[in-house]
Amino acid sequence: GPPAPGGSVSEAEVTRLAESFAAAYADENASRLSRLLTSDAQRVSPSNRQRGRRDVVDVYRNQFAANRTTGFELEDLQAEGGPVGRATARYRASYDGRPDATGTMTWNVIRDRGRPRIALLAVRPD
């Protein structure tokens, strides 16, 4: 499992990380996405799972290489703080020349080396 948290994260920090993830994805900025994740972050979807920051970011790099992202929006973002903070939102990813992708995304956030970071991304496409 994930490492023991270094302290609680606030609702505002969890919200900020979810919004930062959305902005980095919209900008196709893999480096910024990497900085938001713990070193042992996981990404889980119905079809696959990645473990570790590098593997998680590689999934997004491959998505960026395959399709030009023209937007990534969150709707109905709900967040809560605590030892493991959690945010859930509906997402809409827009791409050049292909239909939008929609679904639900959940982020688990912990305090890692003094900073809030994403430890788990769960993606459930529609």
Side-chain angles (χ1 to χ4, degrees):
S8 291
V9 291
S10 70
E11 180 181 326
E13 289 173 316
V14 175
T15 298
R16 188 183 82 242
L17 275 182
E19 291 171 343
S20 293
F21 175 92
Y25 189 98
D27 292 341
E28 296 188 341
N29 190 328
S31 295
R32 193 166 31 157
L33 284 173
S34 180
R35 289 190 299 273
L36 299 174
L37 303 174
T38 62
S39 62
D40 61 347
Q42 296 182 53
R43 180 183 177 274
V44 179
S45 72
S47 61
N48 57 40
R49 170 181 285 229
Q50 295 76 39
R51 294 176 190 259
R53 179 187 296 138
R54 180 175 297 161
D55 290 345
V56 171
V57 173
D58 281 349
V59 167
Y60 293 115
R61 280 192 179 108
N62 291 336
Q63 288 177 10
F64 301 154
N67 301 289
R68 187 169 99 53
T69 305
T70 58
F72 191 89
E73 298 176 13
L74 300 178
E75 298 174 359
D76 302 323
L77 176 62
Q78 305 212 1
E80 59 186 54
V84 178
R86 180 180 206 146
T88 301
R90 298 269 316 145
Y91 70 86
R92 177 176 300 279
S94 302
Y95 303 99
D96 190 22
R98 92 165 230 225
D100 290 357
T102 59
T104 304
M105 186 171 274
T106 300
W107 300 264
N108 283 0
V109 176
I110 63 171
R111 189 161 303 281
D112 179 46
R113 297 181 184 169
R115 295 185 58 191
R117 294 186 201 274
I118 299 166
L120 174 71
L121 295 151
V123 181
R124 192 175 65 234
D126 288 336

